[in-house]
Amino acid sequence: MYKIRFSLLLIMLTIVSFGQTQNQQNPQKKDSINNLSEVTIVANKLLGSKFEAKNRTGSAYFISKKDIQKFNYFDVNNLLGQVPGVNIYQEDGFGLRPNISLRGTSPERSSKITLMEDGVLIAPAPYSAPAAYYFPTISRMQNVEVLKGSSQIQYGPFTTGGAINFVSTEIPKDFELNLRANYGSYDTGNFYANIGDSKKNFGYLLEYNNIQSDGFKNLDNNGDTGFDINDFVGKFRVNTNPSAKVYHSLEFKFQYSDELSNETYLGLTQNDFNETPFRRYAGSQVDNMDTEHTQFMLTHTAKFSDFLRLTTTAYRNNFKRNWYKLDKVNFNNIQVGISDLLENPNQFPNHFSIVNGNNSTNEGALTVKNNNREYYSQGIQTKFDYHFFTGDFSHDLEVGLRYHQDEIDRFQWVDDYNMLSGNMNLVNQGIPGTESNRIQDAEALATYILYKLKFNKLTLTPGLRYESIKLTRSNYGTNDINRTGSDLSYRENTYNELIPGLGANYKINREIAIFGGIHKGFAPGGTQPEEEAEQSINYELGTRFNFNGFSGEIVGFFNDYSNLLGSDLNATGGTGSLEQFNAGEVNVAGFELLLNYNLLQNNSKFDLPLNFAYTYTDTEFQNNFESGVGIWGQVTAGDEMPYISKHQFNFGASFIAEKFQINANARYRGEFRTQAGTGSIPQNQKVDGNFVIDISGEYQLTNNFSLTANMINLLDHTYEVARVPAGLRPGHPFGIYGGFKFKL
């Protein structure tokens, strides 16, 4: 059905676009791909443009609309892999639930960085349970903004590594209709459409995005390993006349998305990965993730002048999910978790033969957990911007305030299955609430003040952030599914933190500038009374340069943790309690290199831009501790952090003409260890490095219509991406896709 819908739409739009070209009485000059202008959003932004990113007093990176659409990526891992300072490990090969680290922060479920959409915290419960089991759909975004170092002190609660803001499509200034689609390998398709317009006092945007695939893994019983995601956004704005003495606008945003994905935590043993890397064991055949997400935002902007603005946003995010997945295997009354089983299959041969379907059993040997959780996140935030001048001094004062509440409600149970001739059958249906039955809440007040002073070639930006956080947990127990409170266990913890920062930028001349900063890193702990927060002091020093079209940035950074926090997540091979633990003192040091050059900058017909990004990251624990959890294990002073590559780079090249462009992207991620350690990495604790090349092309048939094509993993390199949650997992194999873009 998807193929038929795609083909009919492609034919229809081809006819429409050619008909428009023939019927135009006064045809305009055809747009050049090279000259498409970038569009940036006015409110709810961190940067707004590449110019702003290059003039911050701290590190920043701006990904434009053209950058996002260049390769038709819907996997955010591939897009953010082009940004220096970003470490990522994959899980499912499609980027459904990425694990992102900025400058050596713990990458698990992106839980130690500040994630936002349109300036609003977007993790399901960013204070009480920050693990990002929901992630915005990248293919509907207009820009992506990445802030690191002292450049991100305004944004919290996580201030160590940085912040990422996903800027959704803005309401257009004039009428627009945009359609994009592509389809290819593994029945993978992406369809996108939006329509919008602005009048003098009103504007709107309606947007729909669908991504679906049959998946590239091969389930033992030939089941589906793919997914289907729908995403809808509506925006409506009313505003005063642009000439009003005080300009007011009120914008309402509604977003809804759902996901059905046949994803699992069950990976492969080393031997099976070597022989059949894209296999999935029969024991994962009923695994499924079912989610719904809604967002409501109401943003009021009052522009008193070009120098004074007040922006206020009220928001509410709802997210519910049930990840139904294999958790444990039972044989002869010995129960083993799948993480331990895949790590030691020879120690549990009978358990393993049930999982891979070779052994039949009528007993309920396979325990499948309903990881059923509901989240909400809500609050109101306001930002005051004031720009003024005194003599030769330029001043910029920004004051922000946010009141926020969020919650995670865990109401879980387990079902038991047998395995007969490779097929799973339900033998015991569990009772909801009998596996986990608790609520965690957060209430937070955050405020900041940032002052930018500019005099001649020097810019200084001192800032101060304050976070006041109350975290609570109410555990009703597995015997009180009606939550009467008969077995209630309650605890709470509070954090009150001042977070200072200072950034500076000095332009030596038009070609070169030096910038640097120092700021405090912070991340709240958990609900255990007296549990310490994550604390660090972070430094950076760098230079930006531009000589005859050769531009770039070199930055060194050093994060000095006095207390690093780890988390007990199923996603990292832990128990899934979500408890945090103190990991002690850690040093993270490294440098980032960014280079850009257009080989044909003096050619009026063609462009050949090149870009190169390299990141070196070195981590070292300064103390001993025993976590007993997931990827941490036994830690000794001198050990390196797990899941952080020392070396990674990305190289991109494009050949751009008036009617077509060809793009190539090569990325390398060095090997990394899967448990803390030092020296050579044991094979059973190592994920090898990988080198992946993607290419894409676009041909502009008319002013309105373009054909697109792209190939992922051109060399069809088979590679590992992780050993968690349970066993080895492969990256995306070779894939080829074709499609179109239509704009009216």
Side-chain angles (χ1 to χ4, degrees), residues 108 564 572 581 583 585-586 619-644 672-682 684-686 724:
E108 305 101 307
L564 179 74
T572 57
F581 55 88
E585 300 179 13
V586 182
T619 66
E620 183 177 334
F621 284 95
Q622 304 297 300
N623 60 288
N624 305 334
F625 77 96
E626 169 65 53
S627 73
V629 171
I631 66 174
W632 297 89
Q634 176 74 42
V635 176
T636 303
D639 283 354
E640 299 171 337
M641 288 178 61
Y643 278 82
I644 301 292
F672 55 85
R673 59 180 72 249
T674 60
Q675 289 209 347
T678 188
S680 59
I681 307 176
N684 66 339
Q685 296 179 9
K686 179 171 71 171
V724 290

Side-chain angles (χ1 to χ4, degrees), residues 113-168:
I113 61 176
T114 299
L115 291 173
M116 294 174 282
E117 180 174 329
D118 293 333
V120 167
L121 296 173
I122 199 61
Y127 281 85
S128 57
Y133 286 91
Y134 165 79
F135 207 87
T137 309
I138 188 64
S139 54
R140 68 172 172 85
M141 294 301 160
Q142 180 169 286
N143 308 132
V144 180
E145 304 169 315
V146 182
L147 297 178
K148 298 165 289 181
S150 63
S151 187
Q152 48 90 37
I153 195 68
Q154 300 118 295
Y155 312 103
F158 306 97
T159 65
T160 302
I164 301 178
N165 185 41
F166 296 89
V167 181
S168 65

Side-chain angles (χ1 to χ4, degrees), residues 76-193:
V76 71
N77 294 305
N78 297 336
L79 189 69
L80 290 178
Q82 304 172 30
V83 182
V86 178
N87 273 279
I88 297 173
Y89 75 83
Q90 299 188 44
E91 184 173 318
D92 50 64
F94 290 104
L96 302 181
R97 277 158 287 280
N99 300 278
I100 304 170
S101 163
L102 294 177
R103 290 186 172 173
T105 56
S106 300
E108 305 101 307
R109 284 285 182 265
S110 311
S111 60
K112 289 301 170 63
I113 61 176
T114 299
L115 291 173
M116 294 174 282
E117 180 174 329
D118 293 333
V120 167
L121 296 173
I122 199 61
Y127 281 85
S128 57
Y133 286 91
Y134 165 79
F135 207 87
T137 309
I138 188 64
S139 54
R140 68 172 172 85
M141 294 301 160
Q142 180 169 286
N143 308 132
V144 180
E145 304 169 315
V146 182
L147 297 178
K148 298 165 289 181
S150 63
S151 187
Q152 48 90 37
I153 195 68
Q154 300 118 295
Y155 312 103
F158 306 97
T159 65
T160 302
I164 301 178
N165 185 41
F166 296 89
V167 181
S168 65
T169 306
E170 70 172 349
I171 296 173
K173 296 179 180 179
D174 300 299
F175 176 79
E176 281 191 16
L177 169 66
N178 291 279
L179 300 171
R180 299 194 309 269
N182 61 71
Y183 178 82
S185 302
Y186 315 107
D187 282 336
T188 301
N190 184 12
F191 174 76
Y192 173 88

Side-chain angles (χ1 to χ4, degrees), residues 127-128 404-407 440-444 469-472:
Y127 281 85
S128 57
H404 174 94
Q405 297 174 326
D406 63 50
E407 178 183 282
Q440 290 176 214
D441 290 286
E443 183 177 18
I469 306 165
K470 179 182 177 181
L471 301 173
T472 66

Side-chain angles (χ1 to χ4, degrees), residues 183-186 188 216 693-695 709-716 732-738:
Y183 178 82
S185 302
Y186 315 107
T188 301
F216 58 82
I693 298 175
D694 302 331
I695 64 171
N710 64 297
M711 286 183 278
I712 294 176
N713 195 357
L714 177 67
L715 303 180
D716 199 16
H732 196 295
F734 172 80
I736 183 169
Y737 309 90

Side-chain angles (χ1 to χ4, degrees), residues 62 150 320 392 394 602 665 685 727:
F62 182 85
S150 63
K320 61 180 180 179
D392 294 331
S394 170
N602 297 319
N665 188 72
Q685 296 179 9

Side-chain angles (χ1 to χ4, degrees), residues 39-76:
V39 181
T40 55
I41 198 165
V42 174
N44 302 321
K45 66 180 181 179
L46 310 191
L47 295 169
S49 69
K50 289 183 182 290
F51 175 82
E52 277 293 321
K54 293 177 181 177
N55 287 274
R56 299 283 292 198
T57 55
S59 297
Y61 196 96
F62 182 85
I63 301 175
S64 71
K65 182 178 179 180
K66 289 192 294 182
D67 297 331
I68 295 173
Q69 296 183 14
K70 185 182 293 184
F71 288 93
N72 294 315
Y73 286 144
F74 56 78
D75 185 343
V76 71

